[in-house]
Amino acid sequence: MGNSIGEGKEQVFENLKSLNLTQERPITVFEAGPGNGNYKDRFSPAFHESRWLGVEVWMDYIKEFDLVNRYDILVNMDIRNFIWHSNFDVAFFGDILEHMEKEEAVNLIAEAKKFCRHIYISIPIILFHQGPVKGNPYEEHIKPDWSHKEVMETWPEIVWSHPGNTVGVYRIDGIN
């Protein structure tokens, strides 16, 4: 699979533009679970200059989508084990949090807030069961039943949201 539903991406793009990040300096972008790299493909043209770090757990995606050559830095590991060493202007957690337990998702975002100015979450907000895809056990939806209400209650610090029909997109601001 390696891709995500397109719903909400245009709203994220508009919200990103409203932040005026490109007027400050070249920006740094973190992407958790890039899969086929569609977040980088879609959003990198919006920035004058940017440096992208991706963390992808599934080696087959790294090879199939040539992620090593598409990201400035690519790390092959489970995002839940990632140790943050630097700050980022923007972070994308696109269609990844449903692949872990709720507590793991909460801990992951709490840690990201210490290192990322603007965190975008994209997550199915309907009951969406999914098992492993093409041998990839990380594609399984461990928590397939997020709702917009639950996302808002889980992260009350959300500063912007757009609940779609199947996917909700959210922004949380972290470090200053």
Side-chain angles (χ1 to χ4, degrees), residues 96-112:
I96 188 170
L97 299 179
E98 67 274 17
H99 299 280
M100 59 188 74
E101 298 289 342
K102 181 177 181 176
E103 182 179 342
E104 293 172 315
V106 168
N107 293 339
L108 182 59
I109 297 302
E111 192 65 16

Side-chain angles (χ1 to χ4, degrees), residues 12-68:
V12 168
F13 185 70
E14 291 301 316
N15 189 264
L16 267 171
K17 288 193 311 188
S18 75
L19 297 176
N20 292 318
L21 293 171
T22 57
Q23 297 176 4
E24 296 177 18
R25 58 182 159 63
I27 68 162
T28 53
V29 183
F30 178 89
E31 186 176 353
N36 68 2
N38 68 32
Y39 276 84
K40 183 174 189 303
D41 292 346
R42 180 165 183 109
F43 297 122
S44 63
F47 307 122
H48 170 65
E49 292 181 43
S50 56
R51 290 193 44 82
W52 286 69
L53 180 144
V55 177
E56 175 57 58
V57 67
W58 192 238
M59 182 55 80
D60 287 1
Y61 289 165
I62 292 171
K63 293 175 185 174
E64 179 180 354
F65 302 115
D66 193 27
L67 299 179
V68 169

